[in-house]
Amino acid sequence: MIASCAFHYELAFVHPFSDGNGRIGRLWQTLTLSRWQPAMAYLPVESVIKTRQTKYYQALAKADAASDCSSFIEFMLSTIKSALQQGVSNETTQERKESTTQETTQEKLLQLLRKAPQMNRDQIAVQLSVSADGIKYHLKKLKATGRIVRVGSTKSGTWQVVN
């Protein structure tokens, strides 16, 4: 991690291009980090830097003035930490959202089966605007948790909602 930050700084310090040195430095830093840990390629480091743009340029200037990149490395490590926290937070939020969506779909499915227990997967899919595979998944989950039972054959049977 430190080496990626140092390389980022050195590229910005050398300033080989007339424009885009910071972007190239961040790109190489992300590449270096992702070779070390592949998941690092998906961190929102650019987004975090954008929110801290003034501090980013201040850290570069401070390191230049001191002829020491330590302050820039500390800044970038804190930025990477924030990106990790943001990434974990986003993942947790997405997991909660998916869980809530599943629960909502399953509740709608149970309500529908209480009213029309003879419906097959395709009919349920149309009613709930969910794919047939999605309905199959939810039915399997509901059966596994004992919330529904199939009574009779697959073709002519009915669903029984267990209270």
Side-chain angles (χ1 to χ4, degrees):
M1 288 181 83
I2 292 171
S4 74
C5 296
F7 183 82
H8 178 162
Y9 172 75
E10 291 298 325
L11 187 70
F13 180 77
V14 172
H15 210 79
F17 309 107
S18 61
D19 188 34
N21 293 290
R23 284 185 294 264
I24 297 296
R26 292 187 296 276
L27 175 69
W28 274 101
Q29 182 170 15
T30 299
L31 178 64
T32 303
L33 289 171
S34 67
R35 286 187 156 193
W36 171 58
Q37 291 291 325
M40 296 291 238
Y42 304 102
L43 289 181
V45 176
E46 280 288 332
S47 300
V48 175
I49 288 175
K50 188 171 185 170
T51 64
R52 301 176 175 187
Q53 194 167 21
T54 303
K55 290 181 181 180
Y56 172 78
Y57 289 119
Q58 288 171 346
L60 281 169
K62 183 178 177 183
D64 286 348
S67 297
D68 179 8
C69 65
S70 299
S71 60
F72 180 77
I73 290 172
E74 288 174 13
F75 171 80
M76 284 308 300
L77 289 174
S78 75
T79 300
I80 292 168
K81 179 182 176 184
S82 293
L84 279 165
Q85 290 168 332
Q86 187 176 334
V88 168
S89 174
N90 289 347
E91 187 173 306
T92 303
T93 301
Q94 183 63 28
E95 287 171 359
R96 266 192 241 122
K97 185 178 176 183
E98 288 172 6
S99 176
T100 302
T101 302
Q102 279 186 11
E103 290 169 11
T104 303
T105 301
Q106 289 178 2
E107 288 305 317
K108 289 178 183 176
L109 179 55
L110 289 170
Q111 288 173 6
L112 185 61
L113 292 178
R114 282 184 189 103
K115 293 177 187 172
Q118 75 288 352
M119 291 183 88
N120 64 33
R121 258 196 326 242
D122 293 332
Q123 293 167 329
I124 295 168
V126 169
Q127 285 290 315
L128 297 181
S129 299
V130 176
S131 70
D133 285 339
I135 295 301
K136 181 179 178 181
Y137 167 82
H138 289 294
L139 288 171
K140 185 177 179 180
K141 286 280 191 184
L142 289 168
K143 284 196 289 188
T145 58
R147 300 210 43 209
I148 61 171
V149 176
R150 184 71 177 177
V151 178
S153 70
T154 304
K155 262 190 164 181
S156 63
T158 60
W159 293 104
Q160 180 180 354
V161 178
V162 179
N163 293 326

